[in-house]
Amino acid sequence: MIKLHQFAPAFGLPNASPFCMKLETYLRMVKLPFEIVPFDLNQLKNAPKGKMPYIEDAGKTLADSTLIIDYLKASYGDPLDGWLSSKQRAVELAFQRLLEENLYWAVVYTRWIEPEGWAKTKVAFFG
């Protein structure tokens, strides 16, 4: 069974990290059996890239939500978007990059810089 290492739920969401939530949602949508390993700060020491999420599957430890999903598609098939044309895949990739590499920083700013967001982030992450 796939072991998913990720942060604990926060802000009323399954996860405070969009990348952890992306991977967990993917696993649920493709109906792959997995278990969430309860979060512990020591997990970061074992994380291949020093960040969350990462998985353990079939004796392999993999990090980075996009690379993990690519691995899962190659290992278990692609029931969600295997039917997409190359043009549709290009559009999918463009939107993914827009969200993950550009708009993500708006979330970071509102959580860590704006006083109202920081007040909530401090409680959610550092209790």
Side-chain angles (χ1 to χ4, degrees):
M1 177 175 298
I2 298 167
K3 291 185 179 182
L4 173 58
H5 297 264
Q6 63 177 359
F7 296 112
F11 305 117
L13 300 169
N15 204 289
S17 163
F19 301 101
C20 293
M21 202 168 4
K22 172 180 102 171
L23 180 56
E24 182 179 345
T25 300
Y26 178 82
L27 287 164
R28 290 182 193 287
M29 289 179 70
V30 298
K31 297 179 172 73
L32 283 173
F34 70 98
E35 70 177 81
I36 297 172
V37 178
F39 179 70
D40 179 322
L41 276 175
N42 290 321
Q43 286 174 301
L44 288 171
K45 288 189 264 180
N46 299 324
K49 295 184 178 234
K51 60 184 181 177
M52 299 290 187
Y54 69 96
I55 65 164
E56 295 175 73
D57 182 45
K60 298 176 184 150
T61 302
L62 302 141
D64 188 287
S65 60
T66 298
L67 298 177
I68 293 168
I69 290 172
D70 289 345
Y71 160 81
L72 295 171
K73 287 178 180 181
S75 299
Y76 299 101
D78 190 2
L80 295 181
D81 58 7
W83 56 272
L84 293 176
S85 69
S86 58
K87 183 178 178 180
Q88 291 168 322
R89 285 185 193 282
V91 172
E92 172 192 33
L93 180 60
F95 274 100
Q96 180 180 346
R97 296 266 168 86
L98 171 67
L99 292 167
E100 294 181 1
E101 296 177 15
N102 298 101
L103 298 178
Y104 165 74
W105 296 105
V107 172
V108 170
Y109 183 84
T110 59
R111 287 185 181 175
W112 296 90
I113 305 299
E114 290 184 346
E116 287 180 26
W118 169 242
K120 292 176 184 175
T121 297
K122 186 166 64 171
V123 170
F125 288 178
F126 308 111

